[in-house]
Amino acid sequence: MQYQKKVFRYKVAVGVTNKRLREGIFINNKPMTQIYLNNDIKEKYNIDWNCAREESLPNTTLQNIHLICDYFKIDISKYFTVVKEVSDDEIDEAINSKKKLIRLYSIYLKY
């Protein structure tokens, strides 16, 4: 069960990274919204995108990671470096900010 806990926390770190990348872009002096990103990816890549899913608890594919990196113009190796640098406190904060994540994570804490 420790392996699953570690994977869960890593997925959350991926979500935190995706959110950071999005919020690092400003549109009209405000961080880019999820809707804006969804629409922009649809327009540029002709792909339906669900930013909220990719930020909460992504179970993302390599194709999606490549898309994220291409969109934000970041090297894939840099992307994974950023994911690795997400702190335990940031992961805990992200988990505790969503009821769904709290519920899912509590399963791993029992073991």
Side-chain angles (χ1 to χ4, degrees), residues 1-102:
M1 192 61 81
Q2 287 300 331
Y3 173 76
Q4 287 91 345
K5 178 181 173 184
K6 193 173 189 175
V7 169
F8 184 90
R9 292 182 66 81
Y10 192 80
K11 287 179 178 184
V12 172
V14 167
V16 168
T17 299
N18 293 344
K19 184 175 181 177
R20 272 188 198 163
L21 288 170
R22 177 181 58 80
E23 290 183 338
I25 304 292
F26 284 78
I27 310 294
N28 298 325
N29 295 321
K30 294 180 182 179
M32 178 190 292
T33 64
Q34 291 176 339
I35 293 170
Y36 182 95
L37 180 57
N38 292 342
N39 292 337
D40 206 30
I41 286 177
K42 177 69 174 177
E43 184 179 313
K44 289 181 179 178
Y45 298 92
N46 198 29
I47 294 173
D48 288 321
W49 184 258
N50 186 332
C51 182
R53 183 181 310 125
E54 292 296 328
E55 290 182 10
S56 61
L57 185 61
N59 192 15
T60 195
T61 64
L62 288 175
Q63 179 181 350
N64 284 348
I65 291 171
H66 185 273
L67 177 69
I68 291 166
C69 291
D70 188 72
Y71 182 85
F72 290 106
K73 305 207 180 338
I74 181 173
D75 186 75
I76 289 176
S77 62
K78 175 66 176 166
Y79 177 85
F80 284 109
T81 298
V82 173
V83 171
K84 189 175 179 182
E85 292 171 351
V86 175
S87 72
D88 286 337
D89 288 342
E90 290 173 293
I91 293 169
D92 290 338
E93 183 179 322
I95 291 170
N96 291 321
S97 71
K98 294 184 175 61
K99 290 179 184 179
K100 177 184 175 183
L101 295 182
I102 292 170

